[in-house]
Amino acid sequence: MPKNERESRGRAKSPKGPQKSPAGRADSGSDSLAALGEFGLISELVKELGDAASDVLLPVGDDAALWDPKGQALATADALMEGVHFRVDWGGPEDLGFKAVSVNVSDVAAMGGRPDLALVVLGVKPETDPSWLRGLYRGMAEACRRYGMKVGGGDTFLSERIVISMTVLGTPSPSGSVKRAGARIGDTLFVTGTLGDAAAGLAYLKARQLEGRLKGKTRKASRGASSKLMATGLRRLLRPTARLDEGRAAASAGASAMIDISDGLAADALHLADASGVGIRLRGSSIPIGAGARAAEGLLGLAPERLALSGGEDYELLIAISPDRSEHIVSALEHTGTPLTAVGEVVPADQGCFLEAEGVRTALNEIGGFDHFRRG
Amino acid sequence: MPKNERESRGRAKSPKGPQKSPAGRADSGSDSLAALGEFGLISELVKELGDAASDVLLPVGDDAALWDPKGQALATADALMEGVHFRVDWGGPEDLGFKAVSVNVSDVAAMGGRPDLALVVLGVKPETDPSWLRGLYRGMAEACRRYGMKVGGGDTFLSERIVISMTVLGTPSPSGSVKRAGARIGDTLFVTGTLGDAAAGLAYLKARQLEGRLKGKTRKASRGASSKLMATGLRRLLRPTARLDEGRAAASAGASAMIDISDGLAADALHLADASGVGIRLRGSSIPIGAGARAAEGLLGLAPERLALSGGEDYELLIAISPDRSEHIVSALEHTGTPLTAVGEVVPADQGCFLEAEGVRTALNEIGGFDHFRRG
């Protein structure tokens, strides 16, 4: 049973409390968040944890925590916050509830596990319509049914913005959990499904917000064929599905490393390479680009390849697997009906991580992806 | 790997997105949050979950979710949000980190379990000083060491307010988990430690905010003996400890029901009575009032009994146990050094839930406690 302070305190003026080490101080020095970056900060914070950081089965920082009281269990947590991760006028609450579950299940999928239980911590605004919240939970329930899991508890509190913080607990693959750190030189890199659609959907919503300048353009487009393709982008942005069966199939097929593509293919490939201590070569011509991303070219003037490489929120899987097991994964994924595309291979670390397109090599860290603390 | 939308979108004006069922609509009808209340809303939301609500071992709504993939595991989640649950100028980040762990461990303690792993979802402001965050994590680490647990992962994102959403996973008591629903007529009700101190600390901080009117009063008091007692209140508010050993001892001694006192003794006694389908009689003269709450009488003119009954955030335990096992629990708690006080007993449901003080009976629901959605 949680207990909140009175909300009224949050609105009081100029308190004179003990002020040992206040947050909220702007710091443009080398110790600022902008200088550290998200992953730098995490690394810093893990250091502060010292022996309180779990080393049970996996170090802090992987997609999900393995936890072994008797058997093994997977646990992962992700939050969606209004104004940061979503806007309430983007879509219905059902989609948002579905997405909140999917983004967590995606982390379980990326280890080859299956989800069992979700805990939901929900911050709501005083004026929130309960029917909107019911819709949110309907969407969660639908996702839970789809993924074969349950909601097992949580907490609610009053907030100035809607916050949905969720934890998902699950069971690892019987073949063992697939980590980011297992990629070996020579492994083939596969991607499930297609990339760039969610980023195209986001670009479409942003363009629509620039009413004056783009109103005519998007309206005209809404009567065209491209609007149908764009709908793919919106659907994938607002109601993504986790590649659960695909992750389990990849684990059974003997994948050596896996990560879900949430920050963009380039950024997540770098995460996998860093964890595994290897280099990565991606072939630009092989990257599977979604219909929504392709539509964004004509509709919004955006390069589909860029959306696919750095857009993020695809919730597809990037899988490293030994070439002699490629047949296994191809046949395992066939049962799911999800396309599987070889996009590159694992190379020695000294070759670095790069994209090869039309004979030109571009370092993956120049393509970029999403880092919360470096942007905004 | 979570992925956030670009923060900039949260600041765009007047988007024309699909608006199926917007949140943010004021609703003063019977379906409003104010009309539903917190627990009414939870009940509504659980209905929406349908078969996605866990019925594995416990229904949604208890302190922690039991989860049984092979062995059994406990899972609980609670969030602390800036402006709602805390202010950064109230104290140091170490205390806040310690508190974030404690409020979750308290839920595990209330079932007689032990905590194993915490997942931390952290929302930070762009201008947050990394050293403040390090302090936060140091406090978490200290709490984890105290409670014998680890931090196993989580998520960070950029937010307009600091949010610390935590999940704690744990192992149930070998004697079985103690639920809210097990109280039987005739059981004695015990309370660990003392009550009202955190509420006194909160009242002190609020009074200090009303600079003009109360400055003189609190300054004068700060030179007096009462300020030392008041420090107890601040310490318990800002850095509460969970009654972990006490909860485990109570479970071993055969407690029939247990709940942590976070919303206030009156409110949490009602929760326990509701879940067990019984009535409750509390003896006003027996309630153990803390030194901070007593100090609040002279310093702030607040009734200590009221703080103890409805103040909340004590994180003590309310334990129901059969009278023939009272000796067991008394001797079990002696080892912890924490006072244990009999404050009443479980009565038939038709007698209701009430406080008896100086011959007068007051219904517990007239005393009240904390409900996020009814106040503010």
Side-chain angles (χ1 to χ4, degrees), chain A residues 32 39 91 118 131 147 149 183 199 222 242 276 282 284 288 292 316 319 324 345 364:
Chain A
S32 69
F39 303 103
S131 75
Y147 301 126
M149 56 189 288
S222 73
S276 299
L282 295 179
E316 297 290 355
I319 305 160
D324 58 15
E345 48 270 323
L364 293 187

Coordinates of all heavy atoms in Angstrom, one line a residue, chain A residues 32 39 91 118 131 147 149 183 199 222 242 276 282 284 288 292 316 319 324 345 364:
Chain A
S32 N 27.4 17.4 -17.0 CA 25.9 17.5 -17.3 C 25.4 16.3 -18.0 O 26.2 15.5 -18.5 CB 25.7 18.7 -18.2 OG 26.3 18.4 -19.5
F39 N 23.5 6.6 -21.9 CA 24.2 5.4 -21.5 C 25.4 5.7 -20.6 O 25.7 4.9 -19.7 CB 24.6 4.6 -22.8 CG 23.4 4.3 -23.6 CD1 23.1 5.0 -24.7 CD2 22.4 3.3 -23.2 CE1 21.9 4.8 -25.5 CE2 21.3 3.1 -23.9 CZ 21.0 3.8 -25.0
G91 N -4.1 9.3 -30.3 CA -4.9 8.1 -30.6 C -5.7 7.8 -29.4 O -5.8 8.5 -28.4
A118 N 2.4 -8.7 -15.5 CA 2.7 -7.2 -15.6 C 2.3 -6.5 -14.3 O 1.2 -6.8 -13.8 CB 2.0 -6.6 -16.8
S131 N -13.3 7.0 -18.1 CA -13.6 6.1 -19.3 C -12.3 6.0 -20.2 O -12.1 5.0 -20.8 CB -14.8 6.6 -20.1 OG -14.4 7.8 -20.8
Y147 N -0.4 -11.9 -25.8 CA 0.9 -12.4 -25.4 C 0.9 -13.5 -24.4 O 1.9 -14.0 -23.9 CB 1.8 -11.2 -24.9 CG 2.0 -10.1 -25.9 CD1 1.7 -8.8 -25.5 CD2 2.5 -10.3 -27.1 CE1 1.9 -7.7 -26.4 CE2 2.7 -9.3 -28.1 CZ 2.4 -8.0 -27.7 OH 2.6 -7.0 -28.6
M149 N -0.3 -13.5 -21.1 CA 0.2 -13.0 -19.8 C -0.9 -12.4 -19.0 O -2.1 -12.3 -19.4 CB 1.3 -12.0 -19.9 CG 0.9 -10.8 -20.8 SD 2.3 -9.7 -21.3 CE 2.7 -9.0 -19.7
A183 N 27.3 -12.2 -29.5 CA 27.6 -12.2 -31.0 C 29.1 -12.6 -31.2 O 30.0 -12.1 -30.5 CB 27.3 -10.8 -31.6
A199 N 8.7 5.5 -37.2 CA 9.3 6.8 -37.4 C 8.6 7.7 -38.5 O 8.4 8.9 -38.3 CB 10.8 6.7 -37.8
S222 N -4.0 12.9 -47.9 CA -5.0 12.0 -47.3 C -6.0 11.4 -48.3 O -6.6 10.4 -48.0 CB -5.7 12.7 -46.1 OG -6.6 13.6 -46.7
A242 N 4.9 -6.8 -30.1 CA 6.2 -7.3 -29.8 C 6.4 -8.6 -30.6 O 5.5 -9.4 -30.8 CB 6.3 -7.6 -28.3
S276 N 29.0 -7.2 -27.1 CA 29.7 -8.4 -27.5 C 31.2 -8.2 -27.8 O 31.9 -9.2 -28.0 CB 29.0 -9.0 -28.8 OG 27.6 -9.3 -28.6
L282 N 26.7 -3.5 -41.8 CA 25.3 -3.6 -42.3 C 25.3 -3.3 -43.8 O 26.1 -2.4 -44.2 CB 24.4 -2.6 -41.6 CG 24.2 -2.8 -40.1 CD1 23.3 -1.6 -39.5 CD2 23.5 -4.1 -39.8
G284 N 23.4 -1.6 -46.7 CA 22.3 -0.7 -46.9 C 21.2 -1.2 -47.8 O 20.0 -1.0 -47.6
P288 N 15.3 -4.0 -44.7 CA 13.9 -4.1 -45.1 C 13.1 -2.9 -44.6 O 12.9 -2.7 -43.5 CB 13.4 -5.4 -44.3 CG 14.3 -5.4 -43.1 CD 15.6 -4.9 -43.5
G292 N 5.2 2.2 -44.8 CA 5.0 3.5 -44.2 C 6.2 4.4 -44.4 O 6.1 5.6 -44.7
E316 N 11.2 -4.4 -33.8 CA 11.6 -5.6 -34.4 C 12.8 -6.2 -33.7 O 13.2 -5.6 -32.7 CB 12.0 -5.3 -35.9 CG 10.8 -4.8 -36.8 CD 9.8 -5.9 -37.1 OE1 10.0 -7.0 -36.7 OE2 8.8 -5.5 -37.7
I319 N 19.0 -10.0 -34.8 CA 19.5 -11.3 -34.3 C 20.8 -11.7 -34.9 O 21.0 -11.6 -36.1 CB 18.4 -12.4 -34.7 CG1 17.0 -12.1 -34.2 CG2 18.9 -13.8 -34.2 CD1 15.9 -12.8 -35.0
D324 N 26.0 -21.4 -39.9 CA 25.6 -22.8 -40.1 C 24.3 -23.1 -39.4 O 23.7 -24.2 -39.5 CB 26.7 -23.8 -39.6 CG 27.1 -23.6 -38.1 OD1 26.3 -22.9 -37.4 OD2 28.1 -24.1 -37.7
E345 N 26.7 -8.7 -41.2 CA 27.4 -9.7 -40.4 C 28.3 -9.1 -39.3 O 28.6 -7.9 -39.3 CB 28.2 -10.6 -41.3 CG 29.1 -10.0 -42.3 CD 28.4 -9.8 -43.6 OE1 27.6 -10.6 -44.0 OE2 28.6 -8.7 -44.2
L364 N 28.4 3.7 -37.9 CA 27.0 3.6 -37.3 C 26.8 4.8 -36.3 O 25.7 5.3 -36.2 CB 26.7 2.3 -36.7 CG 26.6 1.1 -37.6 CD1 26.2 -0.1 -36.9 CD2 25.7 1.4 -38.8

